[in-house]
Amino acid sequence: MTHRPNPPTSHTAPIHIIGGGLAGSEAAWQAANAGARVVLHEMRPKRGTEAHKTAGLAELVCSNSFRSDDWEYNAVGLLHAEMRRANSLIMACGDTHKLPAGGALAVDRDAFSAEVTSKLETHPLITIERDEVAGLPPDDWSSVIIATGPLTSPALSEAVGQLTCETELAFFDAIAPIVHYDSINHDIAWRQSRYDKAGPGGTGADYINCPMDEVQYNVFIDALLDGDKTVFKEWEENTPYFNGCLPIEVMAERGRETLRHGPMKPVGLTNPRDPNTKPHAIVQLRQDNALGSLWNMVGFQTKLKYGAQTEIFRMIPGLEEAEFARLGGLHRNTFLNSPKLLDRTLRLKKAPRLRFAGQITGVEGYVESAAIGLLAGRFAAWERLGQQPSLPPETTALGGLINHITGGHLTADSADTDNSKIASRSFQPMNINFGLLPPPDPGSIATHDADGKRIKGKAKGLAKKRAVAERAIADVENWLGSSNASQAAE
């Protein structure tokens, strides 16, 4: 369906946005709210992808979690807070359809996508075209944002590669299985969030926990290592994994204890049926829809074949009779050599009418992708309306992400003064983290707690994170305020 909006208030040529995922949807919302006309192109349902199941905009194809919502001590929570202040569509719809998930922000994926789609379809400055843009956009599209994500269509991907003379960079990303709630054995599993932490819409008992003793864990690890796995095509064999989303069997190959220190760590949880015995490992499931009928196996992305998945995952205590609404899978993601190819406002240096946004730029994660869409939409709108694009301060999470993908966070050495060359040697996708932000002024870090006791150890590290977060919130508010003032003056 093509949505035709009411006559626009601006007579400028439209901004064309290719891709209706998280980044494209956010870019369209931001650009239109800034006063620019937008045409959003989404090829689904006319043409599907390896991972998408619906025609909805901003469909979540992997986890339903936006990760931590703690802005004071977690970098992704800080990014949430900055985006909310910037009137993010993705964050607003996520908050509307949040599910219990401890300290994380998890969403009902179908309701979330439907809300995003409705908001964009009814915006008076946005037209949605359900078509594929095969190859480079037409020359008369003077402002384009390419937000086609990790599953960019072959024709467009090849055209961009030819334009940039770059060899495609890629990595593998994996999907975790989803289990029907009624098939879980609740005589074994119990409800509890790690450390009883209640997050957005949560109660402190937001996860289902399946315990393993040491024997069960070792038998499970052996099965993972021996399980029948997806075989790569020859052209895929040298493609690396993204470390933030490793298949569980790859983690197991790195050492028998790796999973116990990752998604199966037993800390912060107590089995109410045997409180005096600490489980050797724990598998957690997180609510995946508002009805509570579907639960996602946290951190259990996999490249095991379907038959092996059902056999091996039913070895987990509590999942002996598990029925799967969706099994895990593996897909190949692509991203640009952004530090070399893009300028600071995400324009392609060789063709400045083209901007890129989202995961294709080299950020990883739902929220990070949407954040780059937010910035690309604002940059394009400001440029279209005759205003100077304003970069977010490097002290903010938004600024940290821009610096990462454009190479601005690196320092040139005496042998090579071109930052983009340095960055392009080792550029890999990255989630937001406090390491992307400059350290705070030492004087801004709390040294004593409320009782006057000196802060030491881990608490000292938390105090530093809090100082970084407080500075970021102040700086992003100043940036947004000055940007809005400049727009109003224009």
Side-chain angles (χ1 to χ4, degrees):
M1 181 186 79
T2 298
H3 168 68
R4 299 292 180 185
N6 296 325
T9 57
S10 172
H11 296 290
T12 58
I15 297 169
H16 291 267
I17 299 175
I18 305 173
L22 292 162
S25 296
E26 186 67 59
W29 181 256
Q30 294 290 332
N33 283 343
R37 291 172 54 205
V38 171
V39 180
L40 177 60
H41 303 264
E42 171 51 54
M43 69 181 185
R44 293 175 293 118
K46 288 187 178 179
R47 176 166 181 162
T49 74
E50 299 171 13
H52 291 88
K53 304 298 182 185
T54 76
L57 301 176
E59 178 186 344
L60 305 181
V61 300
C62 189
S63 168
N64 70 322
S65 174
F66 289 175
R67 312 197 317 281
S68 174
D69 202 46
D70 179 359
W71 73 268
E72 296 172 300
Y73 303 110
N74 189 286
V76 74
L78 175 61
L79 186 57
H80 289 181
E82 292 183 12
M83 292 173 67
R84 288 185 178 111
R85 284 164 170 77
N87 188 31
S88 164
L89 173 66
I90 295 305
M91 290 308 303
C93 294
D95 289 337
T96 298
H97 298 287
K98 62 179 176 284
L99 299 173
L105 174 60
V107 305
D108 181 319
R109 67 179 73 224
D110 293 331
F112 166 79
S113 175
E115 178 86 3
V116 172
T117 303
S118 175
K119 292 284 189 184
L120 294 176
E121 284 181 342
T122 56
H123 197 293
L125 289 179
I126 298 175
T127 298
I128 299 176
E129 298 283 357
R130 294 287 187 168
D131 54 14
E132 179 184 1
V133 178
L136 290 178
D139 291 339
D140 60 351
W141 292 8
S142 56
S143 180
V144 181
I145 298 174
I146 298 175
T148 45
L151 300 175
T152 299
S153 66
L156 180 55
S157 181
E158 182 178 351
V160 170
Q162 291 177 350
L163 177 63
T164 60
C165 301
E166 282 290 307
T167 301
E168 182 182 67
L169 296 178
F171 66 98
F172 280 114
D173 203 359
I175 296 172
I178 293 175
V179 178
H180 288 283
Y181 177 83
D182 290 341
S183 69
I184 299 169
N185 184 347
H186 298 280
D187 291 331
I188 294 177
W190 76 94
R191 297 284 293 269
Q192 184 187 8
S193 300
R194 207 176 295 278
Y195 300 108
D196 301 308
K197 187 171 184 178
T203 65
D206 305 324
Y207 289 77
I208 294 175
N209 301 283
C210 300
M212 285 186 178
D213 61 28
E214 186 172 2
V215 172
Q216 291 168 330
Y217 176 78
N218 283 314
V219 170
F220 179 73
I221 294 297
D222 289 337
L224 281 181
L225 295 174
D226 294 338
D228 196 10
K229 301 171 183 69
T230 301
V231 178
F232 294 156
K233 299 180 177 66
E234 183 177 351
W235 55 270
E236 297 175 320
E237 289 179 352
N238 294 321
T239 302
Y241 293 104
F242 171 59
N243 280 332
C245 199
L246 286 174
I248 55 168
E249 58 275 5
V250 173
M251 284 188 271
E253 289 168 358
R254 296 183 175 185
R256 297 190 72 84
E257 296 294 290
T258 302
L259 285 169
R260 290 188 65 241
H261 296 279
M264 296 178 69
K265 61 182 178 241
V267 301
L269 300 163
T270 301
N271 186 345
R273 299 181 183 88
D274 189 6
N276 296 320
T277 302
K278 182 179 178 180
H280 190 72
I282 292 176
V283 176
Q284 288 196 304
L285 294 92
R286 179 182 56 238
Q287 188 173 337
D288 202 75
N289 65 346
L291 292 175
S293 58
L294 300 176
W295 288 71
N296 190 292
M297 296 180 68
V298 177
F300 264 59
Q301 52 275 356
T302 180
K303 63 174 183 175
L304 289 169
K305 291 187 176 180
Y306 285 173
Q309 287 185 49
T310 55
E311 179 181 348
I312 294 170
F313 295 155
R314 285 175 180 158
M315 295 170 62
I316 298 169
L319 300 185
E320 301 91 341
E321 304 294 331
E323 296 296 333
F324 297 92
R326 183 190 71 189
L327 289 165
L330 190 71
H331 55 273
R332 188 173 186 263
N333 286 349
T334 59
F335 60 95
L336 294 172
N337 192 348
S338 293
K340 179 179 179 181
L341 300 178
L342 303 183
D343 71 12
R344 296 304 300 278
T345 66
L346 303 168
R347 296 182 305 180
L348 191 64
K349 294 175 183 177
K350 288 190 175 182
R353 73 184 180 101
L354 304 180
R355 270 187 173 84
F356 288 82
Q359 203 165 328
I360 195 172
T361 65
V363 294
E364 176 60 20
Y366 290 149
V367 182
E368 290 88 340
S369 296
I372 297 302
L374 183 154
L375 293 173
R378 284 176 170 250
F379 293 158
W382 288 334
E383 185 179 75
R384 172 59 83 212
L385 299 173
Q387 300 159 16
Q388 184 66 31
S390 170
L391 292 171
E394 66 175 7
T395 52
T396 66
L398 289 167
L401 284 175
I402 277 285
N403 278 347
H404 168 64
I405 63 177
T406 61
H409 63 293
L410 294 174
T411 301
D413 58 26
S414 57
D416 191 343
T417 58
D418 186 343
N419 284 353
S420 68
K421 290 180 181 178
I422 298 171
S424 66
R425 293 175 190 158
S426 59
F427 182 64
Q428 287 292 320
M430 186 176 290
N431 295 116
I432 184 63
N433 62 83
F434 281 118
L436 297 182
L437 280 65
D441 184 334
S444 68
I445 305 173
T447 57
H448 294 78
D449 62 20
D451 297 325
K453 294 181 179 179
R454 189 165 190 82
I455 296 174
K456 300 186 250 186
K458 290 184 179 179
K460 190 174 181 179
L462 291 175
K464 181 178 178 180
K465 289 180 178 179
R466 175 65 185 262
V468 171
E470 289 178 339
R471 180 189 63 186
I473 293 299
D475 289 353
V476 85
E477 287 179 345
N478 287 335
W479 174 67
L480 291 168
S482 61
S483 298
N484 292 338
S486 175
Q487 183 177 346
E490 291 285 346

